[in-house]
């Protein structure tokens, strides 16, 4: 299992490997939150949010990674599994950031489609 401090260290290492241009206008940076975040449309508490990209009037643009969500999903998995998934989540959230800067919404649409597919599995066709 990866503890919160290791989680933060892994995220910092991954961020250090990314091109500097990725951080343009990401004034709040990448933050780690120790809590779990359940998606509001989850059936029970199974669908957790691993990371989020925020565009806030007061706080600007920033990314949050939810350690508690990773802990729920990956628990006692090897550190390498955690590292791969943290990197996947960071890259996903940076894609939201870069698309936002470019005025694009492709990933938002892809995420909405995946959520609709999840909901359909439980509630049938919408």
């Amino acid at each position: 299992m990866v503890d919160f401090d290791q989680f933060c260290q892994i995220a910092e290492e991954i961020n250090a490997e990314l091109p500097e241009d990725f951080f343009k206008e990401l004034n709040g940076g990448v933050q780690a939150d120790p809590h779990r975040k359940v998606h509001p449309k989850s059936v029970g508490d199974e669908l957790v949010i691993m990371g989020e990209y925020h565009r806030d009037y007061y706080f600007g643009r920033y990314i949050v990674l939810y350690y508690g969500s990773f802990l729920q999903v990956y628990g006692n998995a090897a550190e390498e599994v955690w590292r791969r998934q943290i990197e996947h989540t960071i890259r996903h959230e940076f894609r939201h950031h870069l698309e936002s800067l470019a005025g694009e919404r492709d990933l938002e649409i892809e995420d909405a489609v995946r959520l609709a597919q999840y909901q359909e599995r439980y509630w049938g066709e919408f």
Side-chain angles (χ1 to χ4, degrees), residues 31-105:
Q31 306 169 15
D33 185 316
H35 301 99
R36 171 182 70 135
K37 184 162 185 183
V38 176
H39 195 286
K41 296 193 177 184
S42 177
V43 174
D45 66 352
E46 71 175 26
L47 183 61
V48 291
I49 296 172
M50 310 304 270
E52 288 182 304
Y53 172 64
H54 292 272
R55 295 175 304 243
D56 185 89
Y57 180 78
Y58 295 105
F59 299 111
R61 297 169 185 262
Y62 59 98
I63 292 170
V64 179
L65 304 174
Y66 295 100
Y67 170 74
S69 297
F70 280 86
L71 188 59
Q72 176 177 321
V73 175
Y74 300 108
N76 290 323
E79 183 177 325
E80 185 53 41
V81 173
W82 279 72
R83 183 176 294 277
R84 268 195 319 273
Q85 297 307 319
I86 294 167
E87 181 173 12
H88 173 79
T89 302
I90 287 172
R91 288 182 178 275
H92 180 96
E93 300 311 328
F94 266 104
R95 181 173 167 201
H96 278 299
H97 173 59
L98 296 172
E99 286 187 1
S100 171
L101 293 176
E104 299 292 331
R105 299 186 57 216

